[in-house]
């Protein structure tokens, strides 16, 4: 075993969360304890915080340093992390979505082909539990575009617009933005010579071209702010006012981050003034609560729910759900 290979093997062992006696490390590496001590000193010189304790029960372990050192993963660990990150990419978690995507892009880049095939097989055979209101994004498309953003590399892809018209796009990807329940890409469209925002669930056949581009500053200087403003400008938002036949604490638990203002009316009901959102998603949250409710406004929400109720009734042949009538929406 070469010195470099032995050093990597030693580092891999030390990254296991335990303390290694010098004699055991020497046996694993098939070297003398003196060589182990010398290799530990080399790792320290490279910035790895290898700690040592004295005595019969003493040994070596890798401590926490000022920066995270490179991790060495075996095949099973690499596959497990890649599958987990690909699954998480379908369901962005507030606060860590972009970081998890960057990690996935880095791991995808260095996975040997045999492990990449295993990851692809596992993820294709697994049906992730996605929120029913989420638009699923192909993690493969995400990783291609995330890598292109990091490398400032132009990308070509097929895009489905609102009118279901498919177009070919050639863009300079600047920033991925996880907003609400969707991923968006802010990019400069080369052929249209203008900024564009793309929904990632409508992107397919993404391919990094290898052509680099100079850094671009997003409109207004902040990509997330620009995308957020554009998305909310294009879809009007409202605050729902409703009475829920649900104890206030249970309503708060079910609404979670979208609880808004909840006030107990009695032991079994509460009033709800929602956070701002589109009519579609306000109606969606109300129908997911699993309780009767009365909507007092806005009028747009009342009309939307009436139309939704009529469509549902027609779809089941005019049948009414059991358990009694729901509270009638009102504009009072």
């Amino acid at each position: 075993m070469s010195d470099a290979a032995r050093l990597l093997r030693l580092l891999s062992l030390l990254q296991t969360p335990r303390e290694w006696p010098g004699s055991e490390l020497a046996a694993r590496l098939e070297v003398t304890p003196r060589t182990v001590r010398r290799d530990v000193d080399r790792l320290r010189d490279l910035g790895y915080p290898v700690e040592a304790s004295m005595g019969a029960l003493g040994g070596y372990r890798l401590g926490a340093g000022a920066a995270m050192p490179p991790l060495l993963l075996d095949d099973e660990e690499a596959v497990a992390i890649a599958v987990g990150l690909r699954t998480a990419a379908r369901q962005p978690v507030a606060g860590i979505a972009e970081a998890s995507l960057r990690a996935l892009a880095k791991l995808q880049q260095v996975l040997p082909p045999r492990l990449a095939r295993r990851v692809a097989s596992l993820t294709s055979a697994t049906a992730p539990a996605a929120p029913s209101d989420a638009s699923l994004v192909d993690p493969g498309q995400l990783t291609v575009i995330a890598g292109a953003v990091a490398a400032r590399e132009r990308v070509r892809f097929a895009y489905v617009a609102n009118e279901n018209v498919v177009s070919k796009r050639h863009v300079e990807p600047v920033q991925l933005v996880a907003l609400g329940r969707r991923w968006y890409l802010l990019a400069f469209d080369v052929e249209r010579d203008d900024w564009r925002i793309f929904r990632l669930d409508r992107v397919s056949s993404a391919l990094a071209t290898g052509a680099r581009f100079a850094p671009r500053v997003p409109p207004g200087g902040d990509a997330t702010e620009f995308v957020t403003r554009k998305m909310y400008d294009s879809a009007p938002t409202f605050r729902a006012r409703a009475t829920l036949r649900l104890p206030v604490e249970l309503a708060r638990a079910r609404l979670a981050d979208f609880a808004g203002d909840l006030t107990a009316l009695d032991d079994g009901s509460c009033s709800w003034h929602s956070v701002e959102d589109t009519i579609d998603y306000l109606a969606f949250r109300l129908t997911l609560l699993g309780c009767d409710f009365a909507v007092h406004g806005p009028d747009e929400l009342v009309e939307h729910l009436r139309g939704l109720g009529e469509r549902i009734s027609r779809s089941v042949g005019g049948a009414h759900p059991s358990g009694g009538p729901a509270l009638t929406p009102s504009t009072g």
Side-chain angles (χ1 to χ4, degrees), residues 40-96:
V40 165
D41 287 338
R42 289 179 181 176
L43 289 178
R44 287 169 175 162
D45 290 341
L46 292 171
Y48 291 94
V50 181
E51 299 173 354
S53 56
M54 306 302 291
L57 299 178
Y60 298 99
R61 62 185 296 273
L62 194 64
M68 182 175 173
L71 294 176
L72 297 178
L73 306 172
D74 63 28
D75 286 4
E76 299 303 322
E77 292 167 343
V79 169
I81 291 174
V83 170
L85 288 171
R86 285 172 69 90
T87 302
R90 291 179 178 267
Q91 300 173 291
V93 179
I96 66 169

Short mmCIF file of all heavy atoms in Angstrom, two decimals, residues 40-96:
data_model
loop_
_atom_site.label_atom_id
_atom_site.label_comp_id
_atom_site.label_asym_id
_atom_site.label_seq_id
_atom_site.Cartn_x
_atom_site.Cartn_y
_atom_site.Cartn_z
N VAL A 40 -0.43 10.10 11.58
CA VAL A 40 -1.32 11.01 12.32
C VAL A 40 -0.76 12.43 12.28
O VAL A 40 -1.50 13.41 12.09
CB VAL A 40 -1.50 10.53 13.78
CG1 VAL A 40 -2.12 11.64 14.64
CG2 VAL A 40 -2.38 9.29 13.82
N ASP A 41 0.54 12.56 12.44
CA ASP A 41 1.16 13.89 12.37
C ASP A 41 0.97 14.50 10.97
O ASP A 41 0.77 15.71 10.84
CB ASP A 41 2.66 13.78 12.69
CG ASP A 41 2.92 13.53 14.17
OD1 ASP A 41 2.01 13.85 14.98
OD2 ASP A 41 3.99 13.01 14.52
N ARG A 42 1.04 13.68 9.93
CA ARG A 42 0.82 14.19 8.57
C ARG A 42 -0.61 14.72 8.42
O ARG A 42 -0.83 15.77 7.81
CB ARG A 42 1.07 13.08 7.55
CG ARG A 42 2.53 12.70 7.39
CD ARG A 42 2.66 11.58 6.36
NE ARG A 42 4.04 11.15 6.18
CZ ARG A 42 4.41 10.14 5.41
NH1 ARG A 42 3.48 9.45 4.75
NH2 ARG A 42 5.67 9.81 5.29
N LEU A 43 -1.57 13.97 8.95
CA LEU A 43 -2.96 14.42 8.88
C LEU A 43 -3.15 15.74 9.62
O LEU A 43 -3.87 16.63 9.16
CB LEU A 43 -3.90 13.36 9.45
CG LEU A 43 -4.09 12.08 8.61
CD1 LEU A 43 -5.01 11.11 9.34
CD2 LEU A 43 -4.66 12.42 7.24
N ARG A 44 -2.49 15.88 10.75
CA ARG A 44 -2.58 17.14 11.50
C ARG A 44 -1.97 18.29 10.70
O ARG A 44 -2.51 19.39 10.68
CB ARG A 44 -1.87 16.99 12.85
CG ARG A 44 -2.64 16.13 13.85
CD ARG A 44 -1.78 15.79 15.05
NE ARG A 44 -2.53 15.06 16.07
CZ ARG A 44 -1.96 14.36 17.04
NH1 ARG A 44 -0.62 14.30 17.12
NH2 ARG A 44 -2.70 13.72 17.93
N ASP A 45 -0.86 18.00 10.02
CA ASP A 45 -0.24 19.04 9.18
C ASP A 45 -1.17 19.47 8.06
O ASP A 45 -1.12 20.62 7.60
CB ASP A 45 1.07 18.53 8.59
CG ASP A 45 2.16 18.37 9.64
OD1 ASP A 45 2.03 18.99 10.72
OD2 ASP A 45 3.12 17.61 9.39
N LEU A 46 -2.04 18.55 7.60
CA LEU A 46 -3.00 18.87 6.54
C LEU A 46 -4.26 19.56 7.05
O LEU A 46 -5.14 19.91 6.28
CB LEU A 46 -3.39 17.58 5.80
CG LEU A 46 -2.27 16.93 4.96
CD1 LEU A 46 -2.73 15.56 4.46
CD2 LEU A 46 -1.89 17.82 3.79
N GLY A 47 -4.33 19.72 8.38
CA GLY A 47 -5.46 20.43 8.96
C GLY A 47 -6.53 19.56 9.58
O GLY A 47 -7.56 20.08 10.04
N TYR A 48 -6.31 18.26 9.63
CA TYR A 48 -7.30 17.38 10.25
C TYR A 48 -7.08 17.36 11.76
O TYR A 48 -5.97 17.08 12.23
CB TYR A 48 -7.18 15.96 9.69
CG TYR A 48 -7.60 15.84 8.25
CD1 TYR A 48 -6.65 15.93 7.23
CD2 TYR A 48 -8.93 15.66 7.91
CE1 TYR A 48 -7.03 15.83 5.90
CE2 TYR A 48 -9.32 15.56 6.58
CZ TYR A 48 -8.37 15.65 5.58
OH TYR A 48 -8.74 15.56 4.27
N PRO A 49 -8.14 17.64 12.55
CA PRO A 49 -7.98 17.70 14.01
C PRO A 49 -7.98 16.32 14.65
O PRO A 49 -8.96 15.90 15.27
CB PRO A 49 -9.19 18.53 14.44
CG PRO A 49 -10.24 18.22 13.43
CD PRO A 49 -9.50 18.00 12.12
N VAL A 50 -6.88 15.58 14.52
CA VAL A 50 -6.79 14.25 15.12
C VAL A 50 -6.40 14.41 16.59
O VAL A 50 -5.35 14.98 16.91
CB VAL A 50 -5.76 13.38 14.38
CG1 VAL A 50 -5.71 11.98 15.01
CG2 VAL A 50 -6.10 13.29 12.90
N GLU A 51 -7.26 13.90 17.46
CA GLU A 51 -7.02 14.00 18.91
C GLU A 51 -6.47 12.67 19.42
O GLU A 51 -6.81 11.61 18.90
CB GLU A 51 -8.33 14.35 19.62
CG GLU A 51 -8.92 15.69 19.18
CD GLU A 51 -10.29 15.93 19.79
OE1 GLU A 51 -10.81 15.00 20.47
OE2 GLU A 51 -10.86 17.02 19.59
N ALA A 52 -5.63 12.76 20.44
CA ALA A 52 -5.04 11.55 21.03
C ALA A 52 -5.23 11.59 22.54
O ALA A 52 -5.13 12.65 23.16
CB ALA A 52 -3.54 11.46 20.69
N SER A 53 -5.53 10.44 23.11
CA SER A 53 -5.64 10.33 24.57
C SER A 53 -4.65 9.27 25.04
O SER A 53 -4.40 8.28 24.34
CB SER A 53 -7.07 9.97 24.99
OG SER A 53 -7.48 8.78 24.35
N MET A 54 -4.11 9.48 26.24
CA MET A 54 -3.06 8.61 26.75
C MET A 54 -3.67 7.52 27.63
O MET A 54 -4.84 7.56 27.99
CB MET A 54 -2.05 9.43 27.55
CG MET A 54 -1.48 10.62 26.78
SD MET A 54 -0.65 10.13 25.25
CE MET A 54 0.77 9.27 25.96
N GLY A 55 -2.86 6.54 27.98
CA GLY A 55 -3.29 5.50 28.90
C GLY A 55 -3.65 4.21 28.19
O GLY A 55 -3.65 4.11 26.96
N ALA A 56 -3.99 3.18 29.00
CA ALA A 56 -4.30 1.85 28.45
C ALA A 56 -5.52 1.88 27.54
O ALA A 56 -5.61 1.11 26.58
CB ALA A 56 -4.53 0.87 29.60
N LEU A 57 -6.47 2.76 27.83
CA LEU A 57 -7.69 2.84 27.04
C LEU A 57 -7.63 3.98 26.02
O LEU A 57 -8.64 4.31 25.40
CB LEU A 57 -8.91 3.03 27.96
CG LEU A 57 -9.16 1.90 28.97
CD1 LEU A 57 -10.36 2.23 29.84
CD2 LEU A 57 -9.35 0.56 28.26
N GLY A 58 -6.46 4.57 25.88
CA GLY A 58 -6.33 5.72 25.00
C GLY A 58 -6.27 5.33 23.54
O GLY A 58 -6.24 4.15 23.17
N GLY A 59 -6.28 6.36 22.70
CA GLY A 59 -6.21 6.10 21.28
C GLY A 59 -6.39 7.38 20.49
O GLY A 59 -6.23 8.50 21.02
N TYR A 60 -6.77 7.23 19.22
CA TYR A 60 -6.92 8.37 18.32
C TYR A 60 -8.37 8.51 17.87
O TYR A 60 -9.08 7.51 17.68
CB TYR A 60 -6.04 8.19 17.08
CG TYR A 60 -4.56 8.11 17.36
CD1 TYR A 60 -3.91 6.88 17.42
CD2 TYR A 60 -3.81 9.27 17.57
CE1 TYR A 60 -2.55 6.81 17.67
CE2 TYR A 60 -2.45 9.20 17.82
CZ TYR A 60 -1.83 7.97 17.87
OH TYR A 60 -0.49 7.90 18.13
N ARG A 61 -8.79 9.73 17.69
CA ARG A 61 -10.11 9.99 17.13
C ARG A 61 -10.06 11.32 16.38
O ARG A 61 -9.20 12.17 16.66
CB ARG A 61 -11.20 10.05 18.21
CG ARG A 61 -11.00 11.16 19.23
CD ARG A 61 -12.04 11.07 20.34
NE ARG A 61 -13.39 11.30 19.81
CZ ARG A 61 -13.93 12.51 19.68
NH1 ARG A 61 -13.24 13.59 20.01
NH2 ARG A 61 -15.14 12.65 19.21
N LEU A 62 -10.98 11.50 15.44
CA LEU A 62 -11.06 12.75 14.68
C LEU A 62 -12.02 13.69 15.39
O LEU A 62 -13.20 13.37 15.58
CB LEU A 62 -11.54 12.47 13.25
CG LEU A 62 -11.36 13.61 12.24
CD1 LEU A 62 -9.88 13.92 12.04
CD2 LEU A 62 -12.00 13.24 10.91
N GLY A 63 -11.52 14.85 15.80
CA GLY A 63 -12.35 15.81 16.51
C GLY A 63 -12.97 16.83 15.57
O GLY A 63 -12.77 16.81 14.35
N ALA A 64 -13.72 17.74 16.15
CA ALA A 64 -14.36 18.80 15.38
C ALA A 64 -13.37 19.94 15.20
O ALA A 64 -12.74 20.39 16.16
CB ALA A 64 -15.61 19.31 16.09
N GLY A 65 -13.19 20.39 13.97
CA GLY A 65 -12.26 21.47 13.69
C GLY A 65 -12.97 22.75 13.32
O GLY A 65 -14.19 22.87 13.43
N ALA A 66 -12.22 23.72 12.85
CA ALA A 66 -12.78 25.00 12.44
C ALA A 66 -13.51 24.90 11.12
O ALA A 66 -14.39 25.69 10.81
CB ALA A 66 -11.68 26.05 12.34
N ALA A 67 -13.13 23.92 10.30
CA ALA A 67 -13.78 23.71 9.01
C ALA A 67 -14.01 22.22 8.81
O ALA A 67 -13.34 21.38 9.42
CB ALA A 67 -12.92 24.26 7.87
N MET A 68 -14.96 21.88 7.99
CA MET A 68 -15.27 20.48 7.75
C MET A 68 -14.29 19.87 6.76
O MET A 68 -14.17 20.35 5.64
CB MET A 68 -16.70 20.35 7.21
CG MET A 68 -17.13 18.91 7.00
SD MET A 68 -18.84 18.83 6.50
CE MET A 68 -18.96 17.07 6.13
N PRO A 69 -13.58 18.81 7.14
CA PRO A 69 -12.63 18.20 6.22
C PRO A 69 -13.37 17.35 5.18
O PRO A 69 -14.54 17.02 5.36
CB PRO A 69 -11.79 17.31 7.15
CG PRO A 69 -12.74 16.93 8.24
CD PRO A 69 -13.61 18.12 8.45
N PRO A 70 -12.70 16.99 4.08
CA PRO A 70 -13.33 16.09 3.11
C PRO A 70 -13.71 14.78 3.76
O PRO A 70 -12.98 14.24 4.60
CB PRO A 70 -12.24 15.89 2.05
CG PRO A 70 -11.33 17.06 2.21
CD PRO A 70 -11.36 17.42 3.66
N LEU A 71 -14.89 14.26 3.40
CA LEU A 71 -15.34 12.99 3.95
C LEU A 71 -14.99 11.85 3.01
O LEU A 71 -15.08 11.99 1.78
CB LEU A 71 -16.86 13.01 4.16
CG LEU A 71 -17.39 13.97 5.21
CD1 LEU A 71 -18.91 13.95 5.22
CD2 LEU A 71 -16.85 13.61 6.59
N LEU A 72 -14.61 10.72 3.56
CA LEU A 72 -14.37 9.52 2.78
C LEU A 72 -15.51 8.55 3.08
O LEU A 72 -15.76 8.20 4.22
CB LEU A 72 -13.03 8.88 3.16
CG LEU A 72 -11.79 9.75 2.88
CD1 LEU A 72 -10.55 9.03 3.35
CD2 LEU A 72 -11.70 10.06 1.39
N LEU A 73 -16.23 8.16 2.02
CA LEU A 73 -17.41 7.31 2.18
C LEU A 73 -17.18 5.98 1.49
O LEU A 73 -16.62 5.93 0.39
CB LEU A 73 -18.65 7.98 1.57
CG LEU A 73 -18.98 9.39 2.05
CD1 LEU A 73 -20.10 9.98 1.21
CD2 LEU A 73 -19.38 9.37 3.52
N ASP A 74 -17.67 4.90 2.12
CA ASP A 74 -17.65 3.63 1.39
C ASP A 74 -18.85 3.58 0.45
O ASP A 74 -19.67 4.49 0.41
CB ASP A 74 -17.63 2.44 2.36
CG ASP A 74 -18.88 2.35 3.24
OD1 ASP A 74 -19.96 2.81 2.80
OD2 ASP A 74 -18.79 1.80 4.35
N ASP A 75 -18.93 2.51 -0.35
CA ASP A 75 -19.97 2.43 -1.38
C ASP A 75 -21.37 2.55 -0.80
O ASP A 75 -22.21 3.30 -1.31
CB ASP A 75 -19.85 1.11 -2.14
CG ASP A 75 -18.67 1.10 -3.10
OD1 ASP A 75 -17.91 2.10 -3.11
OD2 ASP A 75 -18.49 0.10 -3.82
N GLU A 76 -21.64 1.81 0.27
CA GLU A 76 -22.99 1.82 0.84
C GLU A 76 -23.35 3.20 1.40
O GLU A 76 -24.50 3.66 1.25
CB GLU A 76 -23.10 0.76 1.95
CG GLU A 76 -22.87 -0.67 1.47
CD GLU A 76 -23.83 -1.07 0.36
OE1 GLU A 76 -25.01 -0.66 0.42
OE2 GLU A 76 -23.40 -1.77 -0.56
N GLU A 77 -22.39 3.86 2.02
CA GLU A 77 -22.65 5.20 2.57
C GLU A 77 -22.93 6.20 1.46
O GLU A 77 -23.85 7.03 1.56
CB GLU A 77 -21.44 5.66 3.40
CG GLU A 77 -21.24 4.86 4.68
CD GLU A 77 -19.88 5.10 5.31
OE1 GLU A 77 -18.99 5.63 4.61
OE2 GLU A 77 -19.70 4.75 6.49
N ALA A 78 -22.15 6.12 0.38
CA ALA A 78 -22.35 7.06 -0.73
C ALA A 78 -23.72 6.87 -1.37
O ALA A 78 -24.42 7.84 -1.68
CB ALA A 78 -21.25 6.87 -1.78
N VAL A 79 -24.12 5.62 -1.57
CA VAL A 79 -25.43 5.35 -2.16
C VAL A 79 -26.54 5.84 -1.25
O VAL A 79 -27.52 6.47 -1.69
CB VAL A 79 -25.59 3.84 -2.45
CG1 VAL A 79 -27.04 3.51 -2.81
CG2 VAL A 79 -24.67 3.42 -3.58
N ALA A 80 -26.41 5.59 0.06
CA ALA A 80 -27.45 6.01 1.01
C ALA A 80 -27.62 7.52 1.00
O ALA A 80 -28.75 8.04 1.00
CB ALA A 80 -27.10 5.52 2.42
N ILE A 81 -26.51 8.26 0.99
CA ILE A 81 -26.58 9.72 1.00
C ILE A 81 -27.18 10.24 -0.30
O ILE A 81 -28.03 11.14 -0.30
CB ILE A 81 -25.18 10.32 1.25
CG1 ILE A 81 -24.74 10.04 2.68
CG2 ILE A 81 -25.19 11.83 0.99
CD1 ILE A 81 -23.32 10.46 2.99
N ALA A 82 -26.75 9.67 -1.43
CA ALA A 82 -27.26 10.13 -2.72
C ALA A 82 -28.76 9.89 -2.83
O ALA A 82 -29.51 10.76 -3.30
CB ALA A 82 -26.51 9.43 -3.86
N VAL A 83 -29.23 8.72 -2.42
CA VAL A 83 -30.66 8.43 -2.49
C VAL A 83 -31.43 9.38 -1.58
O VAL A 83 -32.49 9.90 -1.95
CB VAL A 83 -30.93 6.95 -2.10
CG1 VAL A 83 -32.43 6.71 -1.93
CG2 VAL A 83 -30.37 6.02 -3.16
N GLY A 84 -30.91 9.61 -0.38
CA GLY A 84 -31.58 10.53 0.54
C GLY A 84 -31.67 11.94 -0.02
O GLY A 84 -32.71 12.59 0.07
N LEU A 85 -30.59 12.42 -0.61
CA LEU A 85 -30.58 13.77 -1.17
C LEU A 85 -31.50 13.88 -2.39
O LEU A 85 -32.20 14.88 -2.58
CB LEU A 85 -29.16 14.18 -1.54
CG LEU A 85 -28.22 14.48 -0.38
CD1 LEU A 85 -26.80 14.66 -0.88
CD2 LEU A 85 -28.68 15.72 0.39
N ARG A 86 -31.53 12.85 -3.23
CA ARG A 86 -32.41 12.88 -4.39
C ARG A 86 -33.87 12.89 -3.96
O ARG A 86 -34.71 13.58 -4.56
CB ARG A 86 -32.14 11.67 -5.30
CG ARG A 86 -30.86 11.80 -6.11
CD ARG A 86 -30.55 10.51 -6.82
NE ARG A 86 -31.53 10.24 -7.89
CZ ARG A 86 -31.39 10.65 -9.14
NH1 ARG A 86 -30.33 11.36 -9.49
NH2 ARG A 86 -32.29 10.35 -10.05
N THR A 87 -34.20 12.12 -2.92
CA THR A 87 -35.58 12.12 -2.41
C THR A 87 -35.92 13.47 -1.82
O THR A 87 -37.01 14.02 -2.05
CB THR A 87 -35.75 11.02 -1.35
OG1 THR A 87 -35.42 9.74 -1.93
CG2 THR A 87 -37.18 10.98 -0.84
N ALA A 88 -34.99 14.04 -1.05
CA ALA A 88 -35.24 15.35 -0.44
C ALA A 88 -35.39 16.44 -1.49
O ALA A 88 -36.11 17.42 -1.29
CB ALA A 88 -34.10 15.70 0.53
N ALA A 89 -34.71 16.28 -2.62
CA ALA A 89 -34.79 17.30 -3.67
C ALA A 89 -36.20 17.41 -4.23
O ALA A 89 -36.58 18.45 -4.77
CB ALA A 89 -33.81 16.96 -4.80
N ARG A 90 -37.00 16.34 -4.14
CA ARG A 90 -38.39 16.41 -4.59
C ARG A 90 -39.24 17.19 -3.61
O ARG A 90 -40.31 17.68 -3.96
CB ARG A 90 -38.97 15.00 -4.72
CG ARG A 90 -38.38 14.18 -5.85
CD ARG A 90 -39.02 12.81 -5.87
NE ARG A 90 -38.53 11.99 -6.97
CZ ARG A 90 -39.10 11.92 -8.16
NH1 ARG A 90 -40.18 12.64 -8.40
NH2 ARG A 90 -38.60 11.16 -9.11
N GLN A 91 -38.80 17.29 -2.36
CA GLN A 91 -39.58 17.96 -1.33
C GLN A 91 -38.67 18.96 -0.61
O GLN A 91 -38.19 18.70 0.47
CB GLN A 91 -40.12 16.95 -0.32
CG GLN A 91 -41.04 15.91 -0.95
CD GLN A 91 -41.43 14.84 0.04
OE1 GLN A 91 -40.61 14.04 0.46
NE2 GLN A 91 -42.68 14.83 0.43
N PRO A 92 -38.43 20.11 -1.19
CA PRO A 92 -37.52 21.08 -0.59
C PRO A 92 -37.90 21.44 0.84
O PRO A 92 -39.06 21.72 1.13
CB PRO A 92 -37.66 22.30 -1.50
CG PRO A 92 -38.15 21.75 -2.79
CD PRO A 92 -39.02 20.60 -2.43
N VAL A 93 -36.94 21.40 1.73
CA VAL A 93 -37.15 21.74 3.13
C VAL A 93 -36.73 23.18 3.35
O VAL A 93 -35.62 23.57 2.96
CB VAL A 93 -36.35 20.80 4.05
CG1 VAL A 93 -36.56 21.18 5.51
CG2 VAL A 93 -36.77 19.35 3.81
N ALA A 94 -37.59 23.98 3.96
CA ALA A 94 -37.29 25.39 4.16
C ALA A 94 -35.96 25.55 4.89
O ALA A 94 -35.72 24.92 5.91
CB ALA A 94 -38.41 26.06 4.96
N GLY A 95 -35.09 26.36 4.33
CA GLY A 95 -33.83 26.68 4.98
C GLY A 95 -32.66 25.84 4.53
O GLY A 95 -31.52 26.27 4.63
N ILE A 96 -32.90 24.60 4.08
CA ILE A 96 -31.78 23.75 3.68
C ILE A 96 -31.91 23.26 2.24
O ILE A 96 -31.09 22.47 1.78
CB ILE A 96 -31.63 22.53 4.62
CG1 ILE A 96 -32.84 21.59 4.47
CG2 ILE A 96 -31.41 22.97 6.04
CD1 ILE A 96 -32.62 20.26 5.15
#
